[in-house]
Amino acid sequence: MRTVLVVGGANVDVVARSTGRFTMGTSNPGRAYTSAGGVGRNIAANLGRLGVPTELITAFGNDTFGTRLYDETASAAVDLTHSVELGMPSGSYLAMLDAEGELVGAVADMAAAESLRPEHVPSRVVADSSYVVLDANLSVEVLEHVCRAAAAADVPVVIDPVSVPKAQRMASVLKAWPVHTITPTRTELVALSGVDDPQDGVAALHAQGVGRVWVREGVGGSTLFTPDSSQHIPAITADVQNVTGAGDSMTAAYVQGLAAGFDDVTAARRGAAAAYLTITSEHTVRPDLSPALIEHVLKEQ
């Protein structure tokens, strides 16, 4: 299996979960912890856990957080040869969860990822990859550079829009280069397409050359749209411990499935199983995630 290249953000997650009903505008009793995170980093670490040869290009800060991020990512068998250390603080993500583990709100400081430049991502590394996975924490210049290099080498690109504000960075990319799959939430779909109706929004992205639009709806499951069909994939009922990282594991297992030769829908179902395994764990990247564990979940379902 050829290497999957992931280019995106790495940051330390600071997650606080209330022990009772979350009340806005005041202090809530609960507990807090830190973990290695970042959309791109999480996807790469999950791919490594799933046995996929994976390279991550990201920016680490020159601080203790940067050292931790590097070490924990490398321990997941991720190649960091072309990642860089910048003279600035590492990225950080502060998330507040309610007692059910659902996200109440978050703030992301991704200045390090946004400081990556096109020269940090060699075109030959892109061309040698089986798939390229991007997150929208990157600058427009880097997103355009990587998509241009991937298109020239006929390498399929999978994009995570990350958030509504960052999804808007994708406009020039989607108009100029083909994208294999994009994975928006409903609100990110509106930001990407400029259309309120989901069906029309998906059609608008297909018209721009996006092959597959995989719309995520949390407990409502997800729907994988191609230009000719759509398939709803139910979420697996779970005792939620922590939703942080669920979408990242979902994307990783999907790409692992595609790289292993599964069809789109089967790969997406594997993604749903990985998301279930993640939210039933307290870890952002579940340490025991494996293809066998995903197969076990799918067999039970």
Side-chain angles (χ1 to χ4, degrees):
M1 185 183 295
R2 289 167 59 204
T3 298
V4 171
L5 173 65
V6 182
V7 188
N11 56 260
V12 169
D13 289 339
V14 182
V15 180
R17 179 173 177 173
S18 66
T19 51
R21 180 177 178 274
F22 193 95
T23 304
M24 300 296 292
T26 189
S27 176
N28 290 263
R31 60 186 184 89
Y33 60 91
T34 63
S35 65
V39 172
R41 194 217 74 89
N42 290 348
I43 292 171
N46 279 299
L47 282 165
R49 300 283 186 209
L50 291 170
V52 178
T54 304
E55 177 167 2
L56 171 67
I57 299 180
T58 191
F60 299 109
N62 62 340
D63 50 21
T64 55
F65 280 166
T67 301
R68 176 182 178 181
L69 289 167
Y70 185 98
D71 291 345
E72 291 195 24
T73 307
S75 71
V78 176
D79 182 354
L80 297 170
T81 299
H82 293 94
S83 286
V84 297
E85 179 184 296
L86 301 178
M88 61 191 307
S90 296
S92 59
Y93 172 78
L94 173 62
M96 295 181 294
L97 310 179
D98 63 20
E100 286 71 46
E102 296 294 334
L103 184 67
V104 176
V107 175
D109 177 357
M110 299 305 298
E114 292 167 354
S115 297
L116 278 173
R117 308 306 307 154
E119 55 266 28
H120 292 136
V121 189
S123 295
R124 61 175 177 79
V125 176
V126 177
D128 288 341
S129 304
S130 60
Y131 284 84
V132 171
V133 184
L134 300 174
D135 78 37
N137 286 307
L138 304 164
S139 68
V140 173
E141 292 76 14
V142 171
L143 290 167
E144 291 179 343
H145 163 70
V146 176
C147 287
R148 183 185 302 113
D154 199 27
V155 176
V157 174
V158 177
I159 298 178
D160 188 319
V162 177
S163 67
V164 170
K166 291 177 181 177
Q168 296 167 352
R169 298 178 180 179
M170 302 306 306
S172 61
V173 172
L174 299 181
K175 291 176 182 177
W177 294 282
V179 171
H180 181 282
T181 304
I182 197 162
T183 63
T185 63
R186 281 286 189 97
T187 53
E188 290 165 358
L189 177 60
V190 174
L192 288 164
S193 65
V195 179
D196 290 332
D197 179 79
Q199 294 285 344
D200 291 343
V202 168
L205 294 185
H206 285 321
Q208 292 184 61
V210 179
R212 298 145 188 88
V213 183
W214 191 11
V215 181
R216 277 70 176 295
E217 299 181 75
V219 296
S222 63
T223 305
L224 183 66
F225 295 90
T226 70
D228 302 317
S229 65
S230 65
Q231 177 68 52
H232 181 70
I233 299 161
I236 301 172
T237 303
D239 179 13
V240 177
Q241 298 299 310
N242 179 9
V243 298
T244 307
D248 306 332
S249 65
M250 200 171 182
T251 299
Y254 171 71
V255 173
Q256 184 266 338
L258 294 176
F262 292 105
D263 63 80
D264 296 339
V265 173
T266 301
R269 292 189 189 281
R270 296 177 70 83
Y276 164 81
L277 288 165
T278 300
I279 65 176
T280 54
S281 164
E282 290 192 346
H283 299 277
T284 303
V285 175
R286 183 165 174 146
D288 62 344
L289 185 68
S290 67
L293 194 55
I294 289 175
E295 295 286 355
H296 175 72
V297 170
L298 291 172
K299 186 176 181 179
E300 283 193 333
Q301 294 300 311

